[in-house]
Amino acid sequence: MTDFIWGINTHRQDILSTEQQLDVAQTMGLTSLRVDVYDASPETMAWLSSLIAEGSSRGISILPVIVPSAAAATSEAAFRAWGLATGSALAAAFPSLTWEAGNELDTYVIKTGTTGENPSDYDDTLYSIVRGAITGLYDGIHQADPTAKVAVGITGIHFGFLQRLADDGVDWDITSEHYYSAPGATDIATGADLLFSNLARFDRPILMTEFNQQQGSLLSEDAQTDTLLSMMDAMKSLASRYDIIGAYIYELLDEPRLDPSEAHYGLATEDGTLKAAGFAVQQYILEAFPAATVGVTVGLASDTGSSVTDFLTSNSTIEGNADPNATVRLTVDDNAIGQTATASANGDWVFDLTGLPDGQHTVVANVTSSDGGAAASSLLFTLDTKAPAPALSNVVLSGSLAQVIGSTGGGAGETVSLYVGDYLVATATTGNGGEFGFETVISARSVYSYSLIATDAARNIGVSSGTAYIG
């Protein structure tokens, strides 16, 4: 059951930012977010791209539900054309996702006064139009991305809608369901068994894409909490029998701007504060599906300083260890970088922080397991890639002693060696400002060809050469 998806619904809204909504979901241990998508416009593409990237960085997948455009619902052919165009554009931009084709389309075509359990309970004209949207989305998505999965679903006991689609040869990959239990219901387990046994006859994996207590916490937060936990228990116990692959609570945040009956479904208030149900779900997931133990380390690939523990280097490559094949996300000085590192089958990973300026830096490596486990490790180090530039500034002769003076342009503690030809004449250590000096005995006044080799604390090497007349 560690691969069971516990997700939640949310909406594109201004109450909290995308990042804040994901953070609230992550706090509860939820691993997927179901969101409304209405078109394939550039604005939608940009928003969805950001959401998927931000979710991935937190170990949260995205399940987009494509809500058909009412403007295109003029005929089956028109709706199918809309579905083909929209589905293919979205799937081409975002491969390997699971999509939901439509949201509660069964409720728009059911005949008044029927239960929805029979195929004949749906208006022929309206049903055919909706069928066009579903087949268009399914075909469009699969044409653009054969690896994608498409869910098609119903509300409550509207099994007749799925049966009519099946009888018409309409295909889908996952059966989705929306179910809201009555407050105080005592037969949740029995009702869930009956519900899922009916859904299972369509021989596809089942995804509960919306569930909660009717009216959420309007009556009381305790009642909502009890109902949600009972529903979660029922789905957990029935998952293997009926191939239930996940469940999405409706919804993340309260929406007080709506009618009271719709305003209180959130597990958190509109500002992201967890309600009683939110805390209960958090504890439930932690206890029922404990996060896998994950780990990550980060260090310098090469500490080139005088000690392997001085965290001084001229090499911007970092390395570490994580779970095999894990994705390692990195932040440098509190800024997330776009690229990630991938651990090998042995768990080793390497990343070159190309372009990092010299100076002190803090790197944090993060990994998240598929079921919400997380780990982080940090590294504080100093990068120094600038080689010293040794140069002579003066030679002062006193008898047979020559005092050679110069500077590396660096700092204190650098080592400078003076060669004449291949012969090492003298070695000095720089003071503040990189100044150095030698005293050496000369055998004759003449023109000397020399080389200076300077090495700093990070083992950067600078070389210069020239001629000097001493006489």
Side-chain angles (χ1 to χ4, degrees), residues 190-444:
T190 302
D193 196 319
L194 180 61
L195 174 73
F196 288 117
S197 66
N198 275 284
L199 293 171
R201 60 189 170 91
F202 297 101
D203 198 26
R204 291 167 173 86
I206 298 169
L207 196 59
M208 178 72 83
T209 51
E210 288 186 22
F211 75 98
N212 204 327
Q213 176 178 270
Q214 294 171 11
Q215 299 184 350
S217 63
L218 180 62
L219 296 181
S220 79
E221 290 197 21
D222 287 344
Q224 181 192 31
T225 298
D226 292 343
T227 298
L228 273 174
L229 295 184
S230 295
M231 296 180 80
M232 294 173 78
D233 271 338
M235 285 183 281
K236 182 180 71 171
S237 66
L238 297 171
S240 58
R241 185 189 307 175
Y242 295 121
D243 196 14
I244 308 168
I245 60 175
Y248 291 73
I249 301 166
Y250 190 89
E251 61 184 324
L252 184 65
L253 305 176
D254 279 341
E255 298 185 79
R257 66 184 182 279
L258 299 180
D259 179 88
S261 64
E262 296 286 335
H264 302 283
Y265 280 103
L267 298 192
T269 61
E270 61 178 334
D271 66 357
T273 302
L274 293 188
K275 296 161 55 179
F279 284 114
V281 167
Q282 180 187 57
Q283 189 64 27
Y284 182 93
I285 293 175
L286 180 64
E287 292 178 355
F289 303 94
T293 301
V294 295
V296 63
T297 63
V298 58
L300 295 172
S302 177
D303 189 321
T304 61
S306 59
S307 165
V308 294
T309 59
D310 62 6
F311 301 104
L312 173 64
T313 186
S314 60
N315 186 340
S316 62
T317 302
I318 57 175
E319 64 181 9
N321 190 268
D323 288 354
N325 307 311
T327 297
V328 182
R329 304 182 310 280
L330 299 167
T331 62
V332 179
D333 303 327
D334 295 324
N335 296 309
I337 61 176
Q339 301 93 340
T340 58
T342 302
S344 68
N346 295 324
D348 299 323
W349 63 271
V350 179
F351 191 87
D352 187 359
L353 297 168
T354 304
L356 191 68
D358 284 2
Q360 191 175 75
H361 300 284
T362 299
V363 174
V364 179
N366 293 274
V367 292
T368 304
S369 67
S370 60
D371 57 0
S377 181
S378 63
L379 168 68
L380 176 65
F381 72 100
T382 299
L383 180 65
D384 178 7
T385 62
K386 183 180 179 181
L392 293 184
S393 59
N394 198 10
V395 178
V396 178
L397 184 63
S398 177
S400 62
L401 288 178
Q403 185 177 15
V404 181
I405 300 170
S407 174
T408 64
E414 298 174 343
T415 300
V416 184
S417 299
L418 172 64
Y419 287 81
V420 174
D422 293 330
Y423 177 71
L424 175 61
V425 175
T427 299
T429 300
T430 59
N432 293 333
E435 299 88 357
F436 62 85
F438 308 102
E439 274 194 350
T440 184
V441 177
I442 61 169
S443 58

Side-chain angles (χ1 to χ4, degrees), residues 66-131:
I66 306 174
V67 182
S69 167
T74 56
S75 68
E76 182 172 7
F79 231 2
R80 175 172 167 78
W82 176 89
L84 282 167
T86 304
S88 61
L90 288 168
F94 308 106
S96 302
L97 290 185
T98 295
W99 305 83
E100 194 166 7
N103 184 66
E104 300 185 352
L105 295 179
D106 52 309
T107 64
Y108 293 99
V109 302
I110 191 170
K111 294 177 182 176
T112 303
T114 64
T115 65
E117 295 178 85
N118 301 304
S120 60
D121 289 346
Y122 300 90
D123 181 274
D124 292 342
T125 301
L126 295 177
Y127 164 79
S128 66
I129 293 174
V130 164
R131 180 180 60 195

Side-chain angles (χ1 to χ4, degrees), residues 433-471:
E435 299 88 357
F436 62 85
F438 308 102
E439 274 194 350
T440 184
V441 177
I442 61 169
S443 58
R445 300 183 179 188
S446 180
V447 175
Y448 292 88
S449 296
Y450 68 89
S451 298
L452 292 169
I453 300 177
T455 305
D456 65 15
R459 296 296 188 267
N460 295 297
I461 298 175
V463 179
S464 68
S465 59
T467 59
Y469 173 73
I470 302 177

Side-chain angles (χ1 to χ4, degrees), residues 133-182:
I134 294 172
T135 61
L137 287 169
Y138 179 87
D139 290 342
I141 289 169
H142 277 287
Q143 287 169 12
D145 178 19
T147 68
K149 300 294 183 184
V150 180
V152 172
I154 58 170
T155 303
I157 59 173
H158 294 175
F159 312 117
F161 183 78
L162 290 176
Q163 187 60 59
R164 189 159 178 177
L165 290 174
D167 292 343
D168 289 346
V170 177
D171 205 359
W172 67 92
D173 304 312
I174 298 169
T175 298
S176 58
E177 164 71 18
H178 292 181
Y179 193 78
Y180 291 82
S181 182

